[in-house]
């Protein structure tokens, strides 16, 4: 019995017994690698040209049949790619041809573990709701004044077809993810836990191409962030576990999340605060509440003044549209 338990423990430590397979670009045949790269570059060029019709024609049957979101995304993204030079950064081949559906018949979660040659570094994909098939993932860099990263999932349907499109900015306030990572480390050493934790979050947001990807480097970043986090943030912040701040007049503000915005300044990002409110008031009352919530946060953690241009507060009430306002740091005294 002990031997069986020990064997079971070894198998668990080794990871899933049946995972899908991943081939990195260095392991592919040149024709296969170039074929994926060509399609990725063509889709990226159509996105840059705001050519939703062309993208739809290059999409998988499933995506083409429900294309409204991608069409809207194309229109929103194209202006931000104007004049950028497109270059394929990397491609992966993801084989899920043996993936079995869930017991209820719904598509299962595909797991792909991609180890780089002669390295302990790894990139992993965990894609929920994935029908069995052969897939590829590609990243195209759009370099220019405002760099962007265009990630995409492709499906083999007698040729590579677009199955998912994920464009995002590569910088915020003109600085890339590595800047925010290294600056977070400096802040942690300078005993600025709030600034460090938030800059780690911004670094992760910029460096992670899409939510279903993890990697050795991203895991290292998250470990550093957890180590640097102030005690009130050790367990994270969410709707179910808000950060509660109490103003001097006794008013409580429940923060459910943080984000970042660079629309107000080219030098520093603004901190975005998601505020949970029970009832939506009129515009004047909501604007005043947002301002007081921002002031309460900065008074409680004054180190934020040095790291951010200002604070956006988004009041969020169930069933109502968010109401967001911005206050520069000089107003939060």
């Amino acid at each position: 019995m002990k031997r069986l338990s020990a064997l079971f423990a070894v198998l668990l430590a080794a990871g899933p017994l049946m995972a899908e397979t991943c081939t990195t670009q260095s392991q592919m045949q040149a024709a296969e690698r170039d074929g994926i790269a060509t399609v990725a570059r063509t889709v990226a060029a159509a996105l840059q040209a705001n050519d939703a019709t062309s993208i739809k024609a290059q999409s998988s049957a499933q995506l083409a049949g429900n294309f409204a979101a991608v069409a809207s995304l194309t229109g929103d993204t194209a202006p931000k790619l104007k004049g950028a030079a497109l270059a394929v950064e990397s491609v992966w081949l993801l084989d899920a041809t043996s993936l079995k559906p869930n017991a209820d018949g719904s598509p299962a979660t595909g797991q792909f573990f991609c180890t780089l040659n002669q390295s302990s570094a790894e990139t992993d994909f965990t894609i929920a709701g994935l029908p069995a098939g052969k897939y590829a993932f590609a990243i195209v860099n759009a370099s220019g004044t405002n760099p962007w990263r265009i990630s995409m999932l492709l499906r083999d349907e007698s040729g590579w077809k677009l199955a998912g499109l994920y464009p995002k900015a590569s910088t915020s306030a003109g600085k890339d993810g590595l800047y925010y990572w290294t600056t977070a480390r400096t802040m942690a050493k300078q005993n600025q836990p709030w600034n460090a934790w938030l800059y780690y979050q911004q670094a992760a947001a910029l460096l992670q191409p899409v939510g279903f990807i993890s990697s050795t480097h991203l895991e290292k970043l998250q470990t550093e962030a957890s180590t640097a986090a102030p005690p009130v943030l050790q367990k994270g912040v969410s709707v179910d576990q808000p950060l509660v701040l109490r103003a001097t007049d006794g008013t409580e503000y429940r923060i459910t999340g943080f984000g970042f915005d660079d629309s107000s300044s080219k030098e520093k990002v603004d901190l975005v605060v998601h505020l949970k409110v029970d009832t939506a008031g009129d515009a004047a009352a909501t604007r005043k509440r947002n301002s007081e919530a921002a002031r309460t946060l900065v008074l409680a953690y004054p180190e934020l003044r040095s790291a951010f241009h200002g604070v956006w507060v988004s009041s969020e009430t169930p069933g109502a549209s968010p109401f967001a306002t911005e206050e520069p740091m000089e107003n939060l005294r």
Side-chain angles (χ1 to χ4, degrees):
M1 189 68 175
K2 290 182 178 180
R3 292 178 62 187
L4 286 175
S5 298
L7 176 60
F8 185 62
V10 170
L11 292 174
L12 283 178
L17 300 182
M18 295 184 64
E20 292 59 62
T21 61
C22 171
T23 305
T24 62
Q25 59 186 8
S26 63
Q27 298 167 328
M28 294 180 201
Q29 296 296 320
E32 190 168 43
R33 180 176 62 247
D34 293 346
I36 296 170
T38 296
V39 173
R41 190 180 297 108
T42 301
V43 171
L47 177 65
Q48 185 180 40
N50 197 14
D51 188 354
T53 300
S54 178
I55 295 175
K56 185 174 182 179
Q58 299 175 79
S59 295
S60 67
Q62 182 179 17
L63 186 63
N66 187 21
F67 196 73
V70 176
S72 177
L73 179 65
T74 300
D76 291 341
T77 305
K80 298 161 186 173
L81 305 178
K82 188 175 181 180
L86 303 177
V88 178
E89 175 188 311
S90 50
V91 300
W92 291 264
L93 183 61
L94 309 174
D95 191 342
T97 51
S98 299
L99 183 63
K100 303 298 182 184
N102 295 320
D104 62 0
S106 61
T109 296
Q111 293 182 297
F112 308 88
F113 305 103
C114 314
T115 303
L116 301 181
N117 285 345
Q118 300 178 341
S119 170
S120 60
E122 187 174 279
T123 298
D124 301 331
F125 299 78
T126 304
I127 308 175
L130 192 70
K134 190 175 181 181
Y135 296 85
F137 189 83
I139 297 176
V140 180
N141 284 330
S143 59
T145 305
N146 298 302
W148 274 63
R149 180 185 295 113
I150 307 165
S151 302
M152 62 190 77
L153 184 68
L154 306 173
R155 178 180 168 87
D156 188 2
E157 294 182 356
S158 300
W160 292 112
K161 300 293 184 180
L162 182 69
L165 185 61
Y166 319 97
K168 64 186 298 187
S170 299
T171 63
S172 186
K175 302 171 180 67
D176 63 14
L178 289 178
Y179 166 85
Y180 286 99
W181 191 347
T182 56
T183 304
R185 286 174 172 169
T186 300
M187 290 169 165
K189 292 177 181 178
Q190 295 174 341
N191 195 28
Q192 300 177 32
W194 267 86
N195 288 344
W197 185 81
L198 289 164
Y199 267 47
Y200 274 122
Q201 306 314 305
Q202 176 68 314
L206 291 171
L207 292 172
Q208 186 176 31
V210 65
F212 55 72
I213 288 182
S214 62
S215 71
T216 305
H217 295 301
L218 287 171
E219 289 174 0
K220 181 179 180 181
L221 189 159
Q222 293 297 353
T223 298
E224 291 183 20
S226 296
T227 301
V232 293
L233 298 176
Q234 286 289 345
K235 295 182 179 180
V237 180
S238 66
V239 174
D240 296 327
Q241 187 173 277
L243 171 67
V244 180
L245 298 178
R246 187 184 297 273
T248 53
D249 64 359
T251 303
E252 289 189 346
Y253 300 102
R254 291 168 292 170
I255 297 173
T256 62
F258 295 98
F260 309 91
D261 181 273
D262 63 356
S263 62
S264 300
S265 171
K266 295 181 179 180
E267 301 298 326
K268 290 182 180 180
V269 291
D270 280 321
L271 177 61
V272 177
V273 173
H274 298 277
L275 191 67
K276 181 180 179 181
V277 295
D278 295 326
T279 57
D282 60 42
T286 303
R287 187 175 289 107
K288 184 176 186 299
R289 178 176 56 207
N290 284 4
S291 179
E292 290 304 317
R295 180 177 288 104
T296 299
L297 175 67
V298 173
L299 290 177
Y301 305 106
E303 69 183 75
L304 297 173
R305 296 186 188 279
S306 64
F308 298 97
H309 165 264
V311 180
W312 278 92
V313 175
S314 175
S315 284
E316 297 166 0
T317 309
S321 298
F323 188 103
T325 58
E326 189 257 357
E327 291 284 356
M329 282 296 178
E330 56 265 28
N331 291 355
L332 302 176
R333 301 292 179 181

